[in-house]
Amino acid sequence: MSDSTRTIAAKATPPGVGGIGVIRLSGPDCLRIALKLTGRQLNPREATPTRFHSKGGDTLDHGIAILFKAPASYTGEDVLELHCHGGPVILDSVLAEVTALGAELARPGEFTERAFLNEKMDLAQAEAVVDLINSQTETAAKCAIRSLEGYFSKKINYLCSNLRELRVIIEANIDFSDEPVDSIKNKEIKTKITEINQNIAELIDRSRPGELLSTGAEVVLIGAPNAGKSSLLNALARAERAIVTATPGTTRDTLEATISLEGLPIRLTDTAGLRESDDEIEAEGMRRAITAAQRADLVLEVRDDTQ
């Protein structure tokens, strides 16, 4: 559990070299650290060009500092963003200075955790942040944004509201069981139960496509040797991923390629050809092929139409 008395810091941009790199801080010491690092008072939500300097006065970088005052920030706490030049050495030196001034390195996901704990978002929206970051297709990103904006949360809250109303009616009937219950009450209970069941079924139906958009569908190609599995994988991937020869048994292990089909990420898996064989290595390849097929969302059996 996150300790709100700690001020945390982390790089907000991925590793590598770029024009801009961002370091983000969140916690009660943001104002103090900003003053020490820049030597000036920052106006909230104003991009301020400034010099970042060390405790000894040496210039670490020239960049932009932006302060977000609580509660109007991503985490609901004071948040400080330092926009530096995007070189690893620069970012590391500024981050080291920030930690020397009292900030602690954030745990993975701790900024979003604090946003959840400070009621800036619910759990479904917090999970949507991860889905959005990990989106492999445009469709998956759009679905994650809908969840982040509260679409899924509204459905859940509506379902919870109906359950509470149903519980009140049932508990009232139990508490006043000595009094006759009219048919209208019974009919209302049945109607609400039917509606709740429909809502739950709808959420379950929608969860599977959402999971596939987030994680991708696993499609496994199986078939006899030289049926065209590797050729099909190469054609769908639009790259020479698998070795294709006229010799049966060329593919001995599973081989994966990721494609996007109408917005759905698909992990294609080429497998060893299935046939009777005394070859130990080929037998192991066929065992792996069967294992892959058992866990797949879809299995495509490839057949040679000339045979």
Side-chain angles (χ1 to χ4, degrees), residues 261-279:
L261 182 61
E262 296 183 356
L264 175 66
I266 294 177
R267 295 190 306 278
L268 287 171
T269 302
D270 184 20
T271 61
L274 302 179
R275 65 175 177 178
E276 294 291 335
S277 175
D278 295 328
D279 186 290

Side-chain angles (χ1 to χ4, degrees), residues 1 7 17 30 36 46 67 75 80 87 94 113 121 148 171 173 186 212 227 241 272 298 303:
M1 187 66 71
T7 295
V17 178
C30 281
K36 290 283 188 180
E46 182 178 299
L67 176 68
T75 63
L80 175 64
V94 174
E113 179 187 28
M121 61 178 67
L148 186 58
E171 289 180 352
N173 286 341
N186 285 331
L212 288 176
R241 296 298 308 278
L298 179 67
R303 298 182 181 179

Side-chain angles (χ1 to χ4, degrees), residues 165-185:
E165 291 179 10
L166 178 61
R167 188 187 68 182
V168 168
I169 295 172
I170 293 175
E171 289 180 352
N173 286 341
I174 294 174
D175 292 339
F176 302 100
S177 58
D178 294 337
E179 299 181 12
V181 180
D182 56 32
S183 59
I184 296 178
K185 286 291 183 183

